Coordinates of all heavy atoms in Angstrom, one line a residue:
T1 N -11.7 1.6 -2.5 CA -11.4 3.1 -2.3 C -9.9 3.3 -1.9 O -9.6 4.4 -1.5 CB -12.3 3.7 -1.3 OG1 -12.1 3.0 0.0 CG2 -13.8 3.6 -1.7
T2 N -9.1 2.3 -2.1 CA -7.7 2.4 -1.7 C -6.8 2.4 -2.9 O -7.3 2.3 -4.0 CB -7.3 1.2 -0.8 OG1 -7.4 0.0 -1.5 CG2 -8.2 1.1 0.5
V3 N -5.5 2.5 -2.7 CA -4.5 2.5 -3.8 C -3.6 1.4 -3.5 O -3.0 1.3 -2.5 CB -3.7 3.9 -3.9 CG1 -2.6 3.7 -4.9 CG2 -4.7 4.9 -4.3
P4 N -3.4 0.4 -4.5 CA -2.5 -0.7 -4.3 C -1.1 -0.2 -4.0 O -0.7 0.9 -4.6 CB -2.6 -1.5 -5.6 CG -3.9 -1.1 -6.2 CD -4.1 0.4 -5.8
A5 N -0.3 -0.9 -3.2 CA 1.1 -0.5 -3.0 C 1.9 -0.6 -4.3 O 3.0 -0.1 -4.4 CB 1.7 -1.3 -1.9
S6 N 1.4 -1.4 -5.3 CA 2.1 -1.5 -6.5 C 1.8 -0.3 -7.5 O 2.4 -0.3 -8.6 CB 1.7 -2.8 -7.2 OG 0.3 -2.9 -7.4
D7 N 0.9 0.5 -7.1 CA 0.5 1.7 -7.9 C 1.8 2.6 -8.0 O 2.6 2.8 -7.0 CB -0.7 2.5 -7.3 CG -1.1 3.6 -8.1 OD1 -0.5 4.7 -8.0 OD2 -2.0 3.5 -8.9
K8 N 2.0 3.3 -9.1 CA 3.1 4.1 -9.3 C 3.2 5.2 -8.3 O 4.3 5.6 -7.9 CB 3.3 4.6 -10.8 CG 2.3 5.6 -11.2 CD 2.5 6.1 -12.6 CE 1.6 7.2 -13.1 NZ 2.0 7.6 -14.5
R9 N 2.1 5.7 -7.9 CA 2.1 6.8 -6.9 C 2.7 6.3 -5.6 O 3.5 7.0 -4.9 CB 0.7 7.3 -6.6 CG 0.1 8.1 -7.7 CD -1.4 8.4 -7.5 NE -2.2 7.2 -7.6 CZ -3.5 7.1 -7.3 NH1 -4.1 8.2 -6.9 NH2 -4.2 6.0 -7.4
A10 N 2.3 5.1 -5.1 CA 2.8 4.5 -3.9 C 4.3 4.2 -4.1 O 5.2 4.4 -3.2 CB 2.1 3.2 -3.6
L11 N 4.8 3.7 -5.3 CA 6.2 3.4 -5.5 C 7.0 4.7 -5.5 O 8.1 4.7 -5.0 CB 6.3 2.6 -6.8 CG 5.7 1.2 -6.9 CD1 5.7 0.7 -8.3 CD2 6.3 0.3 -6.0
F12 N 6.4 5.7 -6.0 CA 7.1 7.0 -6.1 C 7.4 7.6 -4.7 O 8.5 8.0 -4.4 CB 6.4 7.9 -7.0 CG 6.9 9.3 -7.2 CD1 8.2 9.5 -7.6 CD2 6.2 10.4 -6.7 CE1 8.7 10.8 -7.8 CE2 6.7 11.7 -6.9 CZ 8.0 11.9 -7.4
V13 N 6.4 7.6 -3.9 CA 6.5 8.2 -2.6 C 7.2 7.3 -1.6 O 8.0 7.7 -0.9 CB 5.1 8.6 -2.0 CG1 5.2 9.0 -0.5 CG2 4.5 9.7 -2.9
G14 N 6.9 6.0 -1.8 CA 7.4 5.0 -0.9 C 6.5 4.8 0.3 O 6.0 5.7 0.9
V15 N 6.2 3.5 0.6 CA 5.2 3.1 1.6 C 5.7 3.6 3.0 O 4.9 4.1 3.8 CB 5.0 1.6 1.6 CG1 4.1 1.2 2.8 CG2 4.3 1.2 0.4
D16 N 7.0 3.5 3.2 CA 7.6 4.0 4.5 C 7.3 5.5 4.7 O 6.9 5.9 5.9 CB 9.1 3.7 4.6 CG 9.4 2.2 4.6 OD1 8.4 1.4 5.0 OD2 10.5 1.8 4.3
A17 N 7.5 6.3 3.7 CA 7.3 7.7 3.8 C 5.8 8.0 4.0 O 5.4 8.9 4.8 CB 7.8 8.4 2.6
Y18 N 4.9 7.2 3.3 CA 3.5 7.4 3.5 C 3.1 7.0 4.9 O 2.3 7.8 5.5 CB 2.8 6.5 2.5 CG 1.3 6.2 2.8 CD1 0.3 7.1 2.4 CD2 0.9 5.0 3.3 CE1 -1.0 6.9 2.7 CE2 -0.4 4.7 3.6 CZ -1.4 5.7 3.3 OH -2.7 5.5 3.5
V19 N 3.6 5.9 5.5 CA 3.3 5.6 6.9 C 3.8 6.6 7.9 O 3.2 7.0 8.8 CB 3.8 4.2 7.2 CG1 3.7 3.9 8.7 CG2 3.1 3.1 6.3
A20 N 5.0 7.1 7.5 CA 5.6 8.1 8.5 C 4.8 9.4 8.5 O 4.8 10.1 9.5 CB 7.1 8.4 8.0
A21 N 4.1 9.7 7.4 CA 3.2 10.8 7.3 C 1.9 10.6 8.0 O 1.0 11.5 8.0 CB 3.0 11.3 5.9
G22 N 1.6 9.4 8.5 CA 0.4 9.2 9.2 C -0.6 8.3 8.4 O -1.7 8.1 8.8
G23 N -0.2 7.8 7.2 CA -1.1 6.9 6.4 C -1.1 5.5 6.9 O -0.2 5.0 7.6
T24 N -2.2 4.9 6.6 CA -2.4 3.5 7.0 C -2.4 2.6 5.8 O -2.8 3.0 4.8 CB -3.7 3.3 7.8 OG1 -4.8 3.8 7.0 CG2 -3.8 4.1 9.1
V25 N -1.9 1.3 6.0 CA -1.8 0.3 5.0 C -2.6 -0.9 5.4 O -2.5 -1.4 6.4 CB -0.3 -0.1 4.8 CG1 -0.2 -1.1 3.6 CG2 0.5 1.2 4.4
L26 N -3.5 -1.3 4.5 CA -4.3 -2.5 4.7 C -3.4 -3.7 4.1 O -2.9 -3.6 3.0 CB -5.6 -2.5 3.9 CG -6.5 -1.3 4.3 CD1 -7.8 -1.4 3.4 CD2 -6.9 -1.3 5.7
R27 N -3.3 -4.8 4.9 CA -2.5 -5.9 4.5 C -3.4 -7.2 4.5 O -4.3 -7.3 5.3 CB -1.3 -6.2 5.4 CG -0.3 -5.0 5.4 CD 0.2 -4.7 4.0 NE 0.8 -5.8 3.3 CZ 2.0 -6.1 3.4 NH1 2.9 -5.4 4.0 NH2 2.5 -7.2 2.7
D28 N -3.1 -8.0 3.5 CA -3.8 -9.3 3.5 C -2.8 -10.4 3.9 O -1.8 -10.7 3.3 CB -4.3 -9.6 2.0 CG -5.1 -10.8 1.9 OD1 -5.2 -11.7 2.9 OD2 -5.9 -10.9 0.9
L29 N -3.2 -11.0 5.1 CA -2.3 -12.0 5.7 C -2.4 -13.4 5.0 O -1.6 -14.3 5.3 CB -2.5 -12.1 7.2 CG -2.2 -10.9 8.0 CD1 -2.4 -11.1 9.5 CD2 -0.8 -10.3 7.7
F30 N -3.4 -13.5 4.2 CA -3.7 -14.8 3.6 C -3.4 -15.0 2.1 O -3.4 -16.1 1.6 CB -5.2 -15.2 3.9 CG -5.6 -15.2 5.3 CD1 -6.0 -14.1 5.9 CD2 -5.3 -16.3 6.1 CE1 -6.4 -14.0 7.3 CE2 -5.6 -16.3 7.4 CZ -6.2 -15.2 8.0
E31 N -3.2 -13.9 1.4 CA -2.9 -14.0 0.0 C -1.8 -13.0 -0.3 O -1.6 -12.0 0.4 CB -4.2 -13.5 -0.8 CG -5.3 -14.4 -0.7 CD -5.2 -15.7 -1.5 OE1 -4.4 -15.8 -2.4 OE2 -6.0 -16.7 -1.3
A32 N -1.0 -13.2 -1.4 CA 0.0 -12.3 -1.8 C -0.7 -11.0 -2.2 O -1.5 -10.9 -3.0 CB 0.7 -12.8 -3.0
D33 N -0.3 -9.9 -1.5 CA -1.0 -8.6 -1.7 C -0.1 -7.6 -2.3 O -0.4 -6.4 -2.4 CB -1.6 -8.1 -0.4 CG -0.6 -7.8 0.7 OD1 0.7 -8.0 0.4 OD2 -0.9 -7.5 1.8
N34 N 1.1 -7.9 -2.7 CA 2.1 -7.0 -3.4 C 2.2 -5.7 -2.5 O 2.3 -4.7 -3.1 CB 1.6 -6.7 -4.8 CG 1.6 -7.9 -5.7 OD1 2.5 -8.7 -5.6 ND2 0.5 -8.0 -6.5
G35 N 2.3 -5.9 -1.2 CA 2.6 -4.8 -0.3 C 1.4 -4.1 0.3 O 1.5 -3.2 1.1
G36 N 0.2 -4.6 -0.1 CA -1.1 -4.2 0.5 C -1.7 -3.0 -0.2 O -1.4 -2.8 -1.4
W37 N -2.5 -2.3 0.5 CA -3.3 -1.2 -0.1 C -3.1 0.1 0.8 O -3.3 0.0 2.1 CB -4.8 -1.5 -0.2 CG -5.1 -2.6 -1.1 CD1 -5.4 -2.6 -2.5 CD2 -5.0 -4.0 -0.8 NE1 -5.6 -3.8 -3.0 CE2 -5.3 -4.8 -2.0 CE3 -4.8 -4.8 0.4 CZ2 -5.4 -6.2 -2.0 CZ3 -4.8 -6.2 0.3 CH2 -5.2 -6.8 -0.8
L38 N -2.9 1.2 0.2 CA -2.8 2.5 0.9 C -4.2 3.1 1.1 O -4.8 3.3 0.1 CB -1.9 3.4 0.3 CG -0.4 3.2 0.4 CD1 0.1 1.8 -0.1 CD2 0.5 4.3 -0.3

């Protein structure tokens, strides 16, 4: 139910801007996750 950080929407807005707006990012510490999931 999330959006990968590699999705064009996430790239367009920017993960930093998304986090600054109160969004949370799921990260995988054990596998390459390409920036995680929004």
Side-chain angles (χ1 to χ4, degrees):
T1 60
T2 64
V3 172
S6 57
D7 185 275
K8 69 177 185 179
R9 289 172 290 174
L11 295 173
F12 177 59
V13 171
V15 174
D16 291 342
Y18 164 80
V19 172
T24 55
V25 180
L26 304 180
R27 297 304 305 266
D28 190 339
L29 298 183
F30 300 94
E31 296 282 345
D33 62 5
N34 297 318
W37 297 265
L38 281 61

